[in-house]
Amino acid sequence: MESELVGSVRLDRVVKWHGPHCVLDAVSLEVKQGEFFSILGPSGSGKTTLLRIIAGFDRPNAGRVLIQEQPLDDLPPHQRPVNMVFQHYALFPHLSVWKNVAFGLERRRIARAEVIRRVTEALHMVRLETKGNRFPHELSGGEQQRVALARALVNRPQVLLLDEPLGALDQQLRQAMQGELKRIQEQVGITFICVTHHQEEALSMSDRVAVIDQGRVLQIGSPHELYESPASMAVAQFIGLSNCLHGEVVCTNGTLCTFQVPELGTFLVPKPHGRLPQGTATFMLRPERIRLLREPSSSHGENMLAATVQTVRYSGGELQYQIALSPHIVWTARLPIESKWYEPFHPGERLTVSWDTHEGLILAS
Amino acid sequence: MESELVGSVRLDRVVKWHGPHCVLDAVSLEVKQGEFFSILGPSGSGKTTLLRIIAGFDRPNAGRVLIQEQPLDDLPPHQRPVNMVFQHYALFPHLSVWKNVAFGLERRRIARAEVIRRVTEALHMVRLETKGNRFPHELSGGEQQRVALARALVNRPQVLLLDEPLGALDQQLRQAMQGELKRIQEQVGITFICVTHHQEEALSMSDRVAVIDQGRVLQIGSPHELYESPASMAVAQFIGLSNCLHGEVVCTNGTLCTFQVPELGTFLVPKPHGRLPQGTATFMLRPERIRLLREPSSSHGENMLAATVQTVRYSGGELQYQIALSPHIVWTARLPIESKWYEPFHPGERLTVSWDTHEGLILAS
Amino acid sequence: MSFPSWPLIPALVVLIAFFLVPLLIMTGISFVSRGPYGGIEWILTWENYVRLADPLYWHIFIRSVGLAVATTLICVVLGFPLAYLMARSSPRVQYLLICLVLIPFWTNFLVRTYAWMFLLRADGLVNTTLRTLGLSDHPVELLYTPWAVLIGLVYGYLPFMVLPLYAAIERIAPSLEEAARDLYATGWAVFTQVVLPLAKPGLVAGCVLVFVPSLGAFITPHLLGGGQTMMIGTLIQHEFLVVRDWPFGAALSLVFMATVLLILLLWLKRQEAMWRTL
Amino acid sequence: MSFPSWPLIPALVVLIAFFLVPLLIMTGISFVSRGPYGGIEWILTWENYVRLADPLYWHIFIRSVGLAVATTLICVVLGFPLAYLMARSSPRVQYLLICLVLIPFWTNFLVRTYAWMFLLRADGLVNTTLRTLGLSDHPVELLYTPWAVLIGLVYGYLPFMVLPLYAAIERIAPSLEEAARDLYATGWAVFTQVVLPLAKPGLVAGCVLVFVPSLGAFITPHLLGGGQTMMIGTLIQHEFLVVRDWPFGAALSLVFMATVLLILLLWLKRQEAMWRTL
């Protein structure tokens, strides 16, 4: 449909100052209709301020926010077609789960029968049909999170804003809720804009992710794009683990270039996209693309370096090695344990690090 | 050395009641000298009570705690050779970092010069040499955690108790601190007893782990033992992800048995250790031991089942699939992405699930 | 707790001695006779309680309750915005406002009451201003009326309303107000649906702290109300200081206290029921 | 905040009207002359402040300060264990103890003071008990002494010490006390090194709340101290009610308030310095 190409939410050079500090520096981005869009950044990057500006709690110093191409300008929060899931849920402690969810409908003077129908539906969607009479403090963290979600979704906003929606949950619950949130988003088809500092969360739930830092958008793209083709070292280091080397890149014709590191010698890397950063550049390799070999065995299309194991971290299905290529260069390698008979390397052991030449990436320094 | 075989800490049938509720039900365990020992359990399993009994804040209703074979009995907390790192650090907010760390030494009336020497040393160990004049509220979460560690270690206890030491930190910091904690433990050589509900933390840091639930020890073993040979389904499900099937096991001679699931047919499983659970049993397989194949390709020593992809979760270096073996049986498979050219399966796609027969495990139901 | 418990024993003794003994003594005194020159004589009697049946005392009591209720309501209306302002200000401004609210406590209560007398007198500041401005040619009667007592009581007890309300509102996370705004609540709806119900403990505490002492007040009604406006507090004062009839004063005071307790308990119960249905 | 700000304007007006105007009026009155039949005459004069040079007034002032300091110290000693007990009890017991501490507020202050008079009189309960037990053959002089005033003041203001201390101690995480125990602190060390420094804001608030009103108290010294023990509060009361010299009373009251403020500021400064070196 044509309408789906129109940005559901568009931010146009939004600027926000807190005193002398520039929180948002001309941020522009466009979120598509029905998309799960995440804004990923460290704390203090301005991501929560961005969400609060869309919700109407903060006013930008310059720039505009448009929903369905309608500028929101000075509309107060209670007149915007968006709803928010707050960081610590902000459930009303004096109201039952049912009353919490019905709050928005009752404020809009929706007919009683309709309120009952929609609250029932919303509680069903978050699987809390039986807990309508409970109070927030009687619920677990995950249940509170789902009440917050139902309370916002019951109003059928055009856009749902989520501020660190899973931030207060522990690891196991967080993973379960990631699936749940994605399921609900696909079910209701509403645009979700989710702010998080948790990269795994952003990658596993989102259609697209904007990485922001110090009030600037560093890159916008699908999780796969961000992971496999980060635009800069900052993005690479924020999304997943990454190993890097600083050196000189020399390109001739063909799809491969030569990368030279003073301490380690030379190896082949794929030709970078766009302009060639001649001279100093950074080489980046993801830890799960590394193979560790007891004996160097030459194979076509692979680079090889000698290394020493420093530490081994066991986490059930996976081993994480710290391996020293030189006294100053330590890489991380993640290896799944694919068999219970697998014999791990020991700290101090000498081995060969190997990787497919095409898995490396050259970034401007 | 002979002395290393003596249990550094020994709990002898410790029982604790809170009113009508049995928190600890005859817990016995032995921690070796210099070991990093974790007590892993869900909240409410009694693990914190266990730690408080060793520290002397709670009295057991029956049973004894011995350190170096000396029963502690009614010794008050300030006379026990143990120190504790509290869950939310419990740093004294009115004292500087230096004063916090020096607190224990000053209470024991250690000479001024010695206090200065040891506090300097302890702050150096946790890399906070420059922050001695700060106050706790001026530090980040990770720094507070390290002050709490230094404050306990400076007293050179025989045993260090840690109550969810990394529980208040976020994901990235938590992983960094896991390595740090392990480094410090190896450096000082003190016995660490760490209580946590976070399985990855317990696996990656500990020499041995005790899994407890509802006041009972379920299993004690190395991280590798717990992951590869859980004693029960409860342990398997608490340590890492696990896929399971309920069915009938039929053993004849040899190292393999036959496992029959009504909906799926039969496949081969390794012979269980110890007594054979004839009749109904549970089959368990770890998610990273599963291979997903587009075409069924028969290979020796492998089991194969047909399945359909339900959902795909991307998290950078890894894909997590939910795959339906039947409408009621859904397994999880974890596959590392070893190449940027890897083409993932899509939801709805039919495929073949395969695994080495030796990777399965039979547990009593 | 591992804290030693021996310092707590004297604490309990003090608590009982200080807080229960005077009460028991007064109960005892209320059942004996008045001595010929004041004081008491050890003759057991119900007489003091029988005398309370006189409707005169109940008229005074009802008038006092009415005035105390009015004082409480005015304190709520004035105190709530003030407390909200304090709770939502920056820490610096909060500190300043608390100091401002507490200023009156730094001066003698009597002196402050006289300041009001000076304001409200026939030749006082208010009347002088009115006359100078030509708004009135004969003095408006302000002092020695129930209105003067009301102003004095509100003035005296407003801080007792503001401080618990402030403490309660300060605990309400601002994100709850934002959530309400986000869920289509107008400013008034945010107040009635979120702030007011959540400030309830502070509101109830404030009401009790204003109602009880303003019901028993005797200096303010005596000075600002003059002889015309006899209140329960001034009546008790009269019995003790002027008539020197301790037993009757004690009986009066106990019955009055019991009634207040009863009223308050009923009110708290009703409050609870009301909040529950809200 | 997105909350509308218009209800806050009357709040500010009330704050200024109620809390500053009486103060300004009293300042004005203190600079004019006394009228022939009490009241005031509009003649500007320093006279009221000059009269304060009389050492008589400063003796009374110093005696009052001494008594207020003693009251504060006794309240600290009695109130701390009580507040600690309250803060570390189960919520149910906490509620009960708070009610117990607040009981006196439910009875008229005058009535409670008379209960003390009855206890301490020559033919009162204490002396009667002593005589009956044969411990003393002539009555011990208790009433109308500074000791009686001290007891009455401690009794009256102890809750003002207990409540802020309770609030402060309740905020101290019990895990801090456990951490101190774990770090080799004895019970006394836990108290002096952890509980006391962390309860400091409550302690300071309690001291101010007890010291200031007990310094200005006039009913308790009047009733329990008799004519012998003239205090600053009874002096001001005397000027206003008996002598009817408002201007001098106002000057007395203002100078006294300024001095108290000065003492307190110096004390708070010293406290701060002391705590910092601890």
Side-chain angles (χ1 to χ4, degrees):
Chain A
M1 284 180 288
E2 185 60 37
S3 71
E4 295 212 350
L5 295 175
V6 173
S8 167
V9 177
R10 195 152 67 83
L11 270 67
D12 188 15
R13 276 162 295 145
V14 168
V15 176
K16 178 72 185 176
W17 294 84
H18 274 330
H21 178 60
C22 183
V23 183
L24 293 176
D25 188 0
V27 170
S28 295
L29 50 85
E30 210 167 320
V31 181
K32 299 195 195 83
Q33 186 75 43
E35 195 175 32
F36 197 126
F37 189 90
S38 288
I39 298 168
L40 179 64
S43 54
S45 60
K47 56 189 195 303
T48 295
T49 306
L50 202 59
L51 209 65
R52 292 175 57 87
I53 283 174
I54 302 174
F57 297 127
D58 285 347
R59 295 271 158 80
N61 294 100
R64 295 194 307 171
V65 178
L66 300 93
I67 292 189
Q68 311 283 27
E69 291 303 308
Q70 297 295 311
L72 297 180
D73 290 339
D74 286 343
L75 272 189
H78 65 285
Q79 290 173 14
R80 295 190 175 208
V82 302
N83 282 112
M84 185 145 164
V85 174
F86 286 80
Q87 184 161 14
H88 298 287
Y89 319 138
L91 298 179
F92 303 122
H94 59 300
L95 299 180
S96 67
V97 167
W98 179 280
K99 287 265 176 194
N100 260 283
V101 176
F103 192 92
L105 301 176
E106 284 175 354
R107 293 292 83 63
R108 287 195 293 167
R109 314 220 175 281
I110 306 280
R112 185 93 193 110
E114 174 74 1
V115 170
I116 292 173
R117 206 181 58 71
R118 279 167 68 173
V119 172
T120 309
E121 189 186 286
L123 286 179
H124 177 75
M125 189 171 57
V126 297
R127 298 173 181 163
L128 287 173
E129 302 91 332
T130 58
K131 307 253 167 139
N133 292 323
R134 302 289 182 87
F135 281 82
H137 64 91
E138 298 171 320
L139 302 180
S140 70
E143 286 169 340
Q144 290 183 19
Q145 209 280 331
R146 284 183 283 159
V147 174
L149 201 59
R151 187 178 69 171
L153 285 174
V154 78
N155 302 296
R156 297 184 186 153
Q158 291 179 28
V159 180
L160 186 74
L161 307 174
L162 302 105
D163 188 4
E164 300 275 4
L166 309 177
L169 304 179
D170 68 19
Q171 181 73 359
Q172 271 129 329
L173 199 53
R174 181 191 279 262
Q175 291 201 345
M177 282 304 298
Q178 283 175 17
E180 191 81 339
L181 210 55
K182 186 71 188 160
R183 175 184 70 78
I184 290 169
Q185 194 259 340
E186 281 164 4
Q187 190 180 328
V188 295
I190 291 173
T191 309
F192 276 35
I193 300 180
C194 173
V195 147
T196 179
H197 71 274
H198 200 278
Q199 53 101 356
E200 198 196 308
E201 208 165 284
L203 293 183
S204 70
M205 295 192 298
S206 318
D207 298 312
R208 286 194 309 146
V209 178
V211 180
I212 82 166
D213 193 21
Q214 298 180 349
R216 287 163 173 279
V217 175
L218 299 183
Q219 190 174 3
I220 301 180
S222 71
H224 188 264
E225 277 165 24
L226 292 177
Y227 192 79
E228 300 295 349
S229 316
S232 64
M233 214 42 228
V235 175
Q237 280 175 331
F238 201 70
I239 306 272
L241 290 168
S242 54
N243 297 307
C244 61
L245 287 174
H246 301 284
E248 260 181 88
V249 64
V250 180
C251 285
T252 49
N253 287 334
T255 58
L256 293 173
C257 301
T258 307
F259 192 79
Q260 182 168 11
V261 184
E263 284 177 273
L264 303 174
T266 59
F267 52 82
L268 295 175
V269 293
K271 195 167 187 166
H273 297 285
R275 209 177 56 78
L276 288 187
Q278 287 294 354
T280 312
T282 302
F283 168 80
M284 196 275 290
L285 181 67
R286 294 295 183 185
E288 69 280 358
R289 305 294 154 78
I290 291 174
R291 276 187 287 280
L292 301 181
L293 308 170
R294 288 217 153 73
E295 304 289 328
S297 72
S298 95
S299 155
H300 184 67
E302 298 233 338
N303 289 312
M304 260 175 283
L305 292 173
T308 311
V309 176
Q310 277 198 338
T311 62
V312 188
R313 242 187 89 229
Y314 179 73
S315 66
E318 187 182 278
L319 285 169
Q320 194 164 315
Y321 291 100
Q322 296 291 325
I323 42 178
L325 302 182
S326 82
H328 310 297
I329 302 171
V330 178
W331 276 11
T332 302
R334 286 172 61 186
L335 276 91
I337 304 173
E338 284 170 347
S339 159
K340 65 170 78 164
W341 318 114
Y342 175 79
E343 191 61 46
F345 294 92
H346 298 291
E349 207 170 335
R350 307 260 328 146
L351 47 68
T352 301
V353 169
S354 141
W355 71 94
D356 190 296
T357 48
H358 290 283
E359 298 298 340
L361 192 70
I362 295 298
L363 298 165
S365 275
Chain B
M1 284 180 289
E2 184 60 37
S3 72
E4 295 211 353
L5 296 175
V6 173
S8 166
V9 178
R10 194 151 68 81
L11 269 69
D12 188 15
R13 276 163 293 146
V14 168
V15 176
K16 178 71 184 176
W17 293 85
H18 273 330
H21 178 61
C22 183
V23 184
L24 292 175
D25 188 0
V27 170
S28 294
L29 50 84
E30 210 167 319
V31 181
K32 299 196 195 82
Q33 185 75 44
E35 195 174 32
F36 198 125
F37 189 89
S38 288
I39 298 168
L40 179 64
S43 55
S45 61
K47 57 189 194 303
T48 296
T49 306
L50 202 61
L51 210 65
R52 292 175 57 85
I53 284 174
I54 301 174
F57 296 126
D58 285 347
R59 294 271 156 82
N61 295 99
R64 295 194 308 169
V65 177
L66 301 94
I67 292 190
Q68 311 282 26
E69 292 302 310
Q70 297 295 311
L72 297 180
D73 290 339
D74 287 342
L75 271 189
H78 64 284
Q79 290 172 14
R80 296 190 174 206
V82 303
N83 283 111
M84 185 143 163
V85 175
F86 286 79
Q87 184 161 13
H88 298 286
Y89 319 137
L91 298 179
F92 303 122
H94 60 299
L95 298 179
S96 66
V97 167
W98 178 280
K99 285 266 176 191
N100 262 283
V101 176
F103 191 93
L105 301 175
E106 284 174 354
R107 294 290 83 64
R108 288 194 293 168
R109 316 218 174 282
I110 306 278
R112 186 91 195 113
E114 175 74 359
V115 170
I116 292 174
R117 206 179 58 71
R118 279 167 68 173
V119 171
T120 309
E121 190 186 284
L123 286 178
H124 178 75
M125 189 170 58
V126 297
R127 298 174 181 163
L128 287 173
E129 302 91 333
T130 58
K131 307 253 167 138
N133 292 323
R134 301 289 181 88
F135 281 82
H137 65 91
E138 298 173 320
L139 301 180
S140 71
E143 287 170 338
Q144 290 183 20
Q145 209 282 331
R146 285 183 281 160
V147 174
L149 201 61
R151 188 178 67 171
L153 284 175
V154 77
N155 303 296
R156 296 181 187 156
Q158 291 178 26
V159 181
L160 186 75
L161 307 174
L162 302 106
D163 189 3
E164 300 275 5
L166 309 178
L169 305 180
D170 68 19
Q171 182 72 359
Q172 271 129 327
L173 199 52
R174 181 191 279 262
Q175 291 200 347
M177 283 303 297
Q178 283 174 18
E180 191 81 338
L181 211 54
K182 186 72 189 158
R183 176 185 69 78
I184 289 170
Q185 193 260 341
E186 281 164 4
Q187 188 179 329
V188 295
I190 290 172
T191 309
F192 275 35
I193 300 181
C194 173
V195 146
T196 180
H197 71 275
H198 200 279
Q199 54 102 356
E200 199 196 306
E201 207 166 286
L203 293 182
S204 71
M205 295 193 298
S206 318
D207 296 312
R208 285 194 307 146
V209 178
V211 180
I212 82 166
D213 194 19
Q214 298 180 349
R216 287 163 173 280
V217 175
L218 300 182
Q219 190 174 0
I220 301 180
S222 71
H224 188 264
E225 276 165 23
L226 292 176
Y227 191 79
E228 299 296 349
S229 318
S232 64
M233 214 43 226
V235 174
Q237 280 176 331
F238 201 72
I239 304 273
L241 292 167
S242 55
N243 298 305
C244 60
L245 287 173
H246 301 284
E248 261 181 85
V249 65
V250 179
C251 285
T252 50
N253 287 334
T255 57
L256 293 175
C257 302
T258 306
F259 192 76
Q260 185 168 9
V261 184
E263 286 177 273
L264 303 174
T266 59
F267 53 82
L268 293 174
V269 294
K271 195 167 188 167
H273 296 285
R275 209 176 57 77
L276 289 188
Q278 287 295 354
T280 314
T282 303
F283 168 79
M284 197 277 286
L285 181 67
R286 294 296 184 183
E288 69 279 2
R289 305 293 154 78
I290 292 175
R291 277 187 287 278
L292 301 180
L293 309 170
R294 287 215 154 76
E295 304 288 329
S297 73
S298 94
S299 154
H300 186 66
E302 297 233 338
N303 290 311
M304 259 174 285
L305 292 172
T308 310
V309 175
Q310 277 197 337
T311 63
V312 187
R313 240 187 90 229
Y314 179 74
S315 66
E318 186 182 278
L319 285 170
Q320 194 164 315
Y321 291 99
Q322 296 291 325
I323 43 178
L325 301 182
S326 83
H328 310 297
I329 302 170
V330 178
W331 276 11
T332 302
R334 287 172 60 186
L335 276 91
I337 305 173
E338 285 171 345
S339 158
K340 65 170 78 163
W341 319 112
Y342 175 78
E343 190 63 44
F345 293 92
H346 297 290
E349 207 171 337
R350 307 253 336 138
L351 46 70
T352 301
V353 168
S354 141
W355 70 93
D356 191 295
T357 49
H358 290 282
E359 298 297 340
L361 192 69
I362 295 298
L363 298 165
S365 275
Chain C
M1 289 303 104
S2 55
F3 212 71
S5 59
W6 56 262
L8 303 178
I9 295 160
L12 270 179
V13 171
V14 165
L15 200 64
I16 290 164
F18 264 31
F19 297 129
L20 284 182
V21 168
L23 205 65
L24 293 177
I25 288 173
M26 270 298 138
T27 313
I29 290 177
S30 75
F31 284 104
V32 296
S33 298
R34 180 194 174 200
Y37 312 105
I40 57 168
E41 237 170 297
W42 294 104
I43 302 160
L44 273 178
T45 174
W46 296 98
E47 184 55 31
N48 301 310
Y49 289 93
V50 173
R51 275 174 66 195
L52 281 172
D54 187 336
L56 170 71
Y57 298 119
W58 290 99
H59 281 148
I60 293 175
F61 184 70
I62 287 162
R63 186 199 295 149
S64 302
V65 169
L67 206 63
V69 167
T71 304
T72 309
L73 288 180
I74 295 173
C75 281
V76 169
V77 171
L78 294 177
F80 211 107
L82 203 55
Y84 186 85
L85 180 73
M86 281 166 70
R88 291 289 185 255
S89 300
S90 66
R92 215 188 180 78
V93 176
Q94 272 185 34
Y95 189 78
L96 197 95
L97 287 173
I98 292 175
C99 283
L100 207 59
V101 167
L102 287 177
I103 276 183
F105 286 102
W106 298 90
T107 55
N108 195 290
F109 185 70
L110 216 60
V111 175
R112 284 180 285 139
T113 308
Y114 270 91
W116 280 106
M117 288 174 72
F118 175 77
L119 264 174
L120 302 173
R121 285 195 310 180
D123 59 343
L125 200 62
V126 174
N127 272 316
T128 311
T129 311
L130 288 177
R131 209 165 34 237
T132 312
L133 295 174
L135 291 172
S136 132
D137 36 315
H138 51 86
V140 182
E141 202 183 338
L142 294 166
L143 196 60
Y144 306 130
T145 66
W147 302 111
V149 178
L150 190 60
I151 291 174
L153 289 174
V154 168
Y155 170 70
Y157 297 118
L158 188 57
F160 292 112
M161 179 63 78
V162 172
L163 293 179
L165 265 179
Y166 157 75
I169 295 171
E170 215 222 343
R171 287 189 183 190
I172 304 173
S175 69
L176 290 180
E177 288 174 41
E178 288 183 347
R181 303 282 297 172
D182 186 56
L183 295 164
Y184 314 107
T186 58
W188 177 248
V190 173
F191 175 71
T192 57
Q193 303 296 316
V194 177
V195 178
L196 195 59
L198 288 173
K200 179 194 146 192
L203 189 63
V204 170
C207 286
V208 171
L209 287 179
V210 170
F211 180 75
V212 174
S214 64
L215 189 49
F218 54 95
I219 295 174
T220 308
H222 178 71
L223 292 179
L224 296 176
Q228 287 89 319
T229 327
M230 179 69 97
M231 296 285 151
I232 195 79
T234 43
L235 177 66
I236 292 171
Q237 178 195 23
H238 186 77
E239 290 298 328
F240 273 95
L241 291 182
V242 181
V243 186
R244 299 186 56 78
D245 189 344
W246 291 22
F248 181 62
L252 201 60
S253 158
L254 283 173
V255 167
F256 145 74
M257 180 179 84
T259 317
V260 169
L261 258 174
L262 203 73
I263 294 174
L264 274 174
L265 282 178
L266 288 175
W267 179 72
L268 287 174
K269 268 258 149 60
R270 220 188 117 234
Q271 281 298 306
E272 226 171 276
M274 208 182 83
W275 290 111
R276 221 178 283 138
T277 58
L278 215 85
Chain D
M1 289 302 103
S2 54
F3 213 71
S5 58
W6 55 261
L8 303 179
I9 295 160
L12 271 179
V13 171
V14 165
L15 200 65
I16 290 163
F18 265 30
F19 298 130
L20 284 182
V21 168
L23 205 65
L24 293 177
I25 288 173
M26 270 299 138
T27 312
I29 290 177
S30 74
F31 284 104
V32 297
S33 297
R34 180 192 173 201
Y37 312 104
I40 58 168
E41 238 171 297
W42 294 104
I43 302 161
L44 272 178
T45 174
W46 295 99
E47 184 55 31
N48 301 309
Y49 289 94
V50 174
R51 273 174 66 194
L52 281 172
D54 187 336
L56 169 70
Y57 300 117
W58 290 98
H59 282 147
I60 294 174
F61 184 70
I62 287 162
R63 187 200 294 152
S64 301
V65 169
L67 206 62
V69 167
T71 304
T72 309
L73 289 179
I74 294 172
C75 282
V76 169
V77 171
L78 293 177
F80 211 107
L82 203 54
Y84 187 85
L85 179 73
M86 282 166 69
R88 291 289 185 254
S89 300
S90 66
R92 215 187 179 77
V93 176
Q94 272 185 34
Y95 190 78
L96 196 97
L97 286 174
I98 292 175
C99 283
L100 207 60
V101 167
L102 287 177
I103 276 184
F105 286 101
W106 299 91
T107 55
N108 195 290
F109 185 71
L110 216 59
V111 175
R112 285 180 284 138
T113 308
Y114 271 90
W116 279 106
M117 287 173 73
F118 175 78
L119 263 174
L120 301 174
R121 284 195 311 180
D123 60 343
L125 201 63
V126 173
N127 272 316
T128 311
T129 310
L130 287 176
R131 207 164 37 238
T132 312
L133 293 173
L135 291 172
S136 131
D137 35 316
H138 51 86
V140 182
E141 202 183 337
L142 294 167
L143 195 59
Y144 305 131
T145 66
W147 302 110
V149 178
L150 190 60
I151 291 173
L153 289 174
V154 169
Y155 169 71
Y157 297 119
L158 188 56
F160 293 112
M161 179 62 78
V162 171
L163 293 179
L165 265 179
Y166 156 76
I169 295 171
E170 214 222 344
R171 286 187 182 191
I172 304 173
S175 68
L176 291 180
E177 288 174 41
E178 289 182 349
R181 303 282 295 173
D182 187 56
L183 295 164
Y184 315 106
T186 58
W188 177 248
V190 173
F191 175 71
T192 56
Q193 303 296 315
V194 177
V195 178
L196 195 60
L198 289 174
K200 178 194 149 194
L203 188 64
V204 170
C207 285
V208 171
L209 287 178
V210 170
F211 179 75
V212 173
S214 64
L215 188 50
F218 53 96
I219 297 175
T220 309
H222 179 71
L223 292 179
L224 296 177
Q228 285 88 320
T229 326
M230 180 68 98
M231 295 285 152
I232 196 80
T234 44
L235 177 65
I236 292 171
Q237 178 196 23
H238 186 75
E239 291 300 327
F240 272 95
L241 292 182
V242 182
V243 185
R244 298 184 58 75
D245 188 346
W246 291 21
F248 181 60
L252 202 58
S253 159
L254 283 173
V255 168
F256 142 74
M257 182 181 83
T259 317
V260 170
L261 258 174
L262 203 73
I263 293 173
L264 273 173
L265 282 178
L266 288 175
W267 179 72
L268 287 173
K269 267 258 150 62
R270 222 189 116 232
Q271 281 298 307
E272 226 171 277
M274 208 182 85
W275 291 109
R276 218 178 285 136
T277 59
L278 213 82

